[in-house]
Amino acid sequence: MTNNILEMRGITKTFPGVKALANVNFEVERGQIHAICGENGAGKSTLMKVLSGVYPHGTYDGDIVFEGEEVAFKSLRDSEAKGIVIIHQELALSPYLSIAENIFLNNERTRGGLIDWNKTNFEAASLLKRVGLKENPTTVINQLGVGKQQLVEIAKALSKEVKLLILDEPTAALNDEDSDHLLDLILSLKAEGITSIIISHKLNEIKKVADTVTVIRDGKTIETIAKSDVTEDRIIKDMVGRDLEHRYPDHEPHIGEELLRVEDWTAHHPQDASRVMVDNVSINVRAGEIVGIAGLMGAGRTEFAMSLFGHSYGSRISGKVFMRGKEIKTRTVAEAIENGIAYATEDRKTFGLNLIEDIKRNISMASLEKLTKGGLVDDNEEYKVANEYRRDLNIKAPNVLVKTGKLSGGNQQKVVLSKWIYSDPDVLILDEPTRGIDVGAKYEIYTIINRLAASGKGIIVISSELPELLGISDRVYALSEGRITGELPVEEATPESVLKLMTMEKPR
Ligand SMILES: Nc1ncnc2c1ncn2[C@@H]1O[C@H](COP(=O)(O)OP(=O)(O)OP(=O)(O)O)[C@@H](O)[C@H]1O
Ligand SMILES: [Mg+2]
């Protein structure tokens, strides 16, 4: 008798033009934490969607045995009824509902047929405590950053009777501290007997929590490795099919004149104008320079970038912006782009992509004027350009006419990057550019960042992964509670010194 809670046998799943899974076998032992690794587009999310009934029985080949019983889920509801809960890669919360409403959506706490708000908020508060999120249950979701939203997703999963918890890149949006917290949470759920499947591109955290690792490449199971045999090098080799010697490409900076200078940038909370979110931030970027911005979740990095980029965030925004010494305005996105600033967002679903449009149009979207002749978009040119980016960034899709909504998470991210690179800004702000990107593709993206810098652009990178930030930047700013708390050339920056600046509190 095996002690498997789950056995998936010979799973094959085809989309028009794509064989996402080809005869995959996957077994999970009860009570374990089982990790799935693989490159962007390898089929990880698809396998989990097959398991959870997102792709109903009949739309795939193969068998699924859960708790010794063959199952044929027709929907998510069916799998949840058996205790399988999936937290998707793309956050799926309702932006205008409160935290508590989201947690108990379709699972309402009622009394006498009415929603029992006391109970709803009370239970939500205790779940929030369990996941370590210090927010009021009545707070509306769109007030939270993606990192906090992820914690709400976990709380929502815990509100159900979960036996097998599936987490598709749960820590992609979280900083180290919150990731650690989440991983500890998964470990404590394991102690309670809950089995987890975790998909992640962060190999260090896989090593930390996983009992077993299965690597998938091109829709096929490569191997399943027990904890004692897991090494990062072995996983990488399985993933990409070869050894990867360096994590960061060499970068010889050739730093030129100052491009962007921001002085005393201040932005207040959009709803509560008394809260200062970005506090007198002054930074500059020179041609050929890669500048990193470090900060914990909630430090105001994204708020700074978005308020600068077309006042897309915040209220009562003040401060000065200069490009090559000349004062410019960035009051709208169009004005910011016109003045040479582009911002590639961490939240690709809301701001970065139009999921119902194809790859080609998503890439050209911010630069249509470049492709327009006599009022018409030059289709051939648009196609050609998009194809070049597909090749350069290795976007996994049969062609550029595929709708971006059909791409895997990491490949969507590459489309967002292509779009902003093609807009050819003087200064490109990249917010978590490698979030959800596999190790091989990360290297490609770092290479592209280097190439942009070498061509004289100024690059600002916001990243929660400190090793990455220090690995690619020439100079680093630290942000804490909306303020710049320090600035270091990368030679002087160590993880410890930067972390110290990141956690520096305001004198009170
Ligand atoms: N609904 C869909 N329609 C068409 N093709 C799809 C669809 N969903 C996924 N695919 C394709 O199937 C393949 C596997 O995608 P999947 O999302 O499972 O990858 P993944 O391993 O989760 O990658 P990532 O790490 O980037 O999230 C990709 O080539 C993707 O483009
Ligand atoms: Mg995925």
Side-chain angles (χ1 to χ4, degrees), residues 41 43-46 89 168-169 199 201 408-410:
K44 305 176 298 292
S45 297
T46 303
Q89 186 168 9
D168 196 346
E169 300 195 34
I199 298 177
H201 290 291
S408 79

PDB file of all heavy atoms in Angstrom, residues 41 43-46 89 168-169 199 201 408-410, ligand 2:
ATOM      1  N   GLY A  41       6.205  28.142 -18.836  1.00  0.00           N
ATOM      2  CA  GLY A  41       5.536  27.443 -19.930  1.00  0.00           C
ATOM      3  C   GLY A  41       5.746  25.946 -19.924  1.00  0.00           C
ATOM      4  O   GLY A  41       5.327  25.252 -20.847  1.00  0.00           O
ATOM      5  N   GLY A  43       4.341  23.764 -18.039  1.00  0.00           N
ATOM      6  CA  GLY A  43       3.076  23.062 -17.835  1.00  0.00           C
ATOM      7  C   GLY A  43       2.664  22.904 -16.384  1.00  0.00           C
ATOM      8  O   GLY A  43       1.692  22.214 -16.080  1.00  0.00           O
ATOM      9  N   LYS A  44       3.352  23.586 -15.483  1.00  0.00           N
ATOM     10  CA  LYS A  44       3.084  23.440 -14.056  1.00  0.00           C
ATOM     11  C   LYS A  44       1.659  23.873 -13.687  1.00  0.00           C
ATOM     12  O   LYS A  44       0.914  23.120 -13.059  1.00  0.00           O
ATOM     13  CB  LYS A  44       4.093  24.270 -13.240  1.00  0.00           C
ATOM     14  CG  LYS A  44       5.538  23.961 -13.549  1.00  0.00           C
ATOM     15  CD  LYS A  44       6.496  24.873 -12.802  1.00  0.00           C
ATOM     16  CE  LYS A  44       6.381  26.344 -13.120  1.00  0.00           C
ATOM     17  NZ  LYS A  44       6.800  26.740 -14.470  1.00  0.00           N
ATOM     18  N   SER A  45       1.305  25.089 -14.095  1.00  0.00           N
ATOM     19  CA  SER A  45      -0.025  25.592 -13.739  1.00  0.00           C
ATOM     20  C   SER A  45      -1.100  24.744 -14.403  1.00  0.00           C
ATOM     21  O   SER A  45      -2.155  24.468 -13.807  1.00  0.00           O
ATOM     22  CB  SER A  45      -0.185  27.049 -14.173  1.00  0.00           C
ATOM     23  OG  SER A  45       0.731  27.871 -13.481  1.00  0.00           O
ATOM     24  N   THR A  46      -0.824  24.324 -15.629  1.00  0.00           N
ATOM     25  CA  THR A  46      -1.817  23.518 -16.343  1.00  0.00           C
ATOM     26  C   THR A  46      -2.078  22.209 -15.596  1.00  0.00           C
ATOM     27  O   THR A  46      -3.230  21.791 -15.437  1.00  0.00           O
ATOM     28  CB  THR A  46      -1.324  23.224 -17.780  1.00  0.00           C
ATOM     29  OG1 THR A  46      -1.080  24.469 -18.434  1.00  0.00           O
ATOM     30  CG2 THR A  46      -2.346  22.427 -18.559  1.00  0.00           C
ATOM     31  N   GLN A  89      -1.869  31.400  -9.552  1.00  0.00           N
ATOM     32  CA  GLN A  89      -0.725  32.258  -9.801  1.00  0.00           C
ATOM     33  C   GLN A  89      -1.168  33.713  -9.929  1.00  0.00           C
ATOM     34  O   GLN A  89      -0.558  34.615  -9.369  1.00  0.00           O
ATOM     35  CB  GLN A  89      -0.084  31.774 -11.101  1.00  0.00           C
ATOM     36  CG  GLN A  89       1.189  32.428 -11.479  1.00  0.00           C
ATOM     37  CD  GLN A  89       1.864  31.650 -12.628  1.00  0.00           C
ATOM     38  OE1 GLN A  89       1.262  30.743 -13.207  1.00  0.00           O
ATOM     39  NE2 GLN A  89       3.073  32.006 -12.937  1.00  0.00           N
ATOM     40  N   ASP A 168       0.288  28.078  -6.275  1.00  0.00           N
ATOM     41  CA  ASP A 168       0.995  28.337  -7.533  1.00  0.00           C
ATOM     42  C   ASP A 168       1.779  29.637  -7.382  1.00  0.00           C
ATOM     43  O   ASP A 168       1.211  30.722  -7.429  1.00  0.00           O
ATOM     44  CB  ASP A 168      -0.016  28.423  -8.681  1.00  0.00           C
ATOM     45  CG  ASP A 168       0.662  28.306 -10.047  1.00  0.00           C
ATOM     46  OD1 ASP A 168       1.901  28.427 -10.120  1.00  0.00           O
ATOM     47  OD2 ASP A 168      -0.064  28.112 -11.047  1.00  0.00           O
ATOM     48  N   GLU A 169       3.056  29.526  -7.167  1.00  0.00           N
ATOM     49  CA  GLU A 169       3.948  30.666  -6.949  1.00  0.00           C
ATOM     50  C   GLU A 169       3.448  31.626  -5.873  1.00  0.00           C
ATOM     51  O   GLU A 169       3.252  32.818  -6.121  1.00  0.00           O
ATOM     52  CB  GLU A 169       4.162  31.413  -8.265  1.00  0.00           C
ATOM     53  CG  GLU A 169       4.781  30.494  -9.308  1.00  0.00           C
ATOM     54  CD  GLU A 169       5.339  31.255 -10.484  1.00  0.00           C
ATOM     55  OE1 GLU A 169       5.821  32.366 -10.272  1.00  0.00           O
ATOM     56  OE2 GLU A 169       5.290  30.723 -11.588  1.00  0.00           O
ATOM     57  N   ILE A 199       4.311  25.408  -6.215  1.00  0.00           N
ATOM     58  CA  ILE A 199       5.041  25.703  -7.441  1.00  0.00           C
ATOM     59  C   ILE A 199       5.853  26.955  -7.164  1.00  0.00           C
ATOM     60  O   ILE A 199       5.314  27.934  -6.644  1.00  0.00           O
ATOM     61  CB  ILE A 199       4.083  25.978  -8.614  1.00  0.00           C
ATOM     62  CG1 ILE A 199       3.243  24.740  -8.906  1.00  0.00           C
ATOM     63  CG2 ILE A 199       4.851  26.426  -9.855  1.00  0.00           C
ATOM     64  CD1 ILE A 199       2.210  24.941 -10.008  1.00  0.00           C
ATOM     65  N   HIS A 201       9.583  29.352  -8.393  1.00  0.00           N
ATOM     66  CA  HIS A 201      10.841  29.529  -9.111  1.00  0.00           C
ATOM     67  C   HIS A 201      11.978  29.848  -8.162  1.00  0.00           C
ATOM     68  O   HIS A 201      13.104  30.029  -8.585  1.00  0.00           O
ATOM     69  CB  HIS A 201      10.704  30.649 -10.148  1.00  0.00           C
ATOM     70  CG  HIS A 201       9.827  30.281 -11.292  1.00  0.00           C
ATOM     71  ND1 HIS A 201      10.192  29.340 -12.213  1.00  0.00           N
ATOM     72  CD2 HIS A 201       8.592  30.694 -11.649  1.00  0.00           C
ATOM     73  CE1 HIS A 201       9.227  29.198 -13.110  1.00  0.00           C
ATOM     74  NE2 HIS A 201       8.247  30.016 -12.776  1.00  0.00           N
ATOM     75  N   SER A 408       1.579  31.422 -20.291  1.00  0.00           N
ATOM     76  CA  SER A 408       1.914  31.122 -18.905  1.00  0.00           C
ATOM     77  C   SER A 408       2.351  32.426 -18.234  1.00  0.00           C
ATOM     78  O   SER A 408       2.723  33.389 -18.908  1.00  0.00           O
ATOM     79  CB  SER A 408       3.032  30.085 -18.839  1.00  0.00           C
ATOM     80  OG  SER A 408       4.276  30.691 -19.085  1.00  0.00           O
ATOM     81  N   GLY A 409       2.311  32.432 -16.898  1.00  0.00           N
ATOM     82  CA  GLY A 409       2.588  33.652 -16.145  1.00  0.00           C
ATOM     83  C   GLY A 409       3.908  34.309 -16.519  1.00  0.00           C
ATOM     84  O   GLY A 409       3.975  35.514 -16.768  1.00  0.00           O
ATOM     85  N   GLY A 410       4.948  33.529 -16.568  1.00  0.00           N
ATOM     86  CA  GLY A 410       6.267  34.080 -16.859  1.00  0.00           C
ATOM     87  C   GLY A 410       6.354  34.641 -18.266  1.00  0.00           C
ATOM     88  O   GLY A 410       7.013  35.649 -18.514  1.00  0.00           O
TER      89      GLY A 410
HETATM   90 MG    MG B   2       2.328  28.941 -14.103  1.00  0.00          MG
END
